[in-house]
Amino acid sequence: MRTPVIAGNWKMNKGPKEAAELILELKPLVEGAKATVVLCVPAVDLQSARQALRGSKIRLGAQNVHYMPSGAFTGELSAAMLREAGAEYVIIGHSERRQYFGETDETVNLRVKAAVAGGLVPIVCVGERKEQREAGYTDALVTYQTLIALTGLTPEEVKKVIVAYEPVWAIGTGLTATDEQANQTIRVIRDALSARYGKRVGNAVRIQYGGSMNPKNAKGLMAQPDIDGGLIGGASLKAADFAQVVHFDR
Ligand code: PGA
């Protein structure tokens, strides 16, 4: 059985002080959760978030990682730096990185390999734009994005990766994929992983849904057989909302 994983993606919101405040509010609300809970915070918040998280099972994550261990890469952070600051997870290839910062399937793959080698669990984001869905390319696209992102990992490494299926048209728009639509595309991703790495791996990889997931729709999405969690943007910035998503089973 796959343990569900609910991850907050704070994006470019909240500095170190506000991060600590939100975490102190959130901690008691998510106690006893069956899901693994992860907060992917801005990198400058990792230290204060780590302190605020003391005594909690909530895990910390970052929102990007560079693929080189060190060097002349102004503005970038290595896996080792993020680990030292307290991150255990890292979002890679978010559609905002692909759209605004020139991230490609190839750089996503480099970052995934560096994250795994550096002891971080990657949360690899894939998903189609509206016009791609309308043109009927969704299945081929998410298959390609997923397989390229994981190229070079061993099957054992792939098993530990988290994939987030995030239809771009659903991110921050209030539009969600229907429960069945989300599950169907996630099933396509799982089948692609099974075909490439074997059923044991395909059945082990946790695949999240992301895109306007909130307290109202979390239960329905999470009831789908192939959806193993959520990557939550907007609703992760309010403790009560995020806690409700975390406790989707209540
Ligand atoms: P949203 O963001 O929940 O605000 O749609 C999700 C994401 O971008 O990961």
Side-chain angles (χ1 to χ4, degrees), residues 9-30:
N9 174 12
W10 288 9
K11 310 192 179 186
M12 195 173 73
N13 293 290
K14 301 198 179 291
K17 188 164 164 283
E18 279 184 315
E21 285 163 7
L22 177 55
I23 285 170
L24 293 178
E25 196 185 338
L26 186 65
K27 267 201 317 191
L29 301 182
V30 301

Side-chain angles (χ1 to χ4, degrees), residues 9 11 94-96 166 170-173 210-213 231-235:
N9 174 12
K11 310 192 179 186
H94 190 278
S95 66
E96 286 149 18
E166 299 206 300
I171 294 176
T173 57
S212 299
M213 196 159 160
L231 185 55
I232 323 295

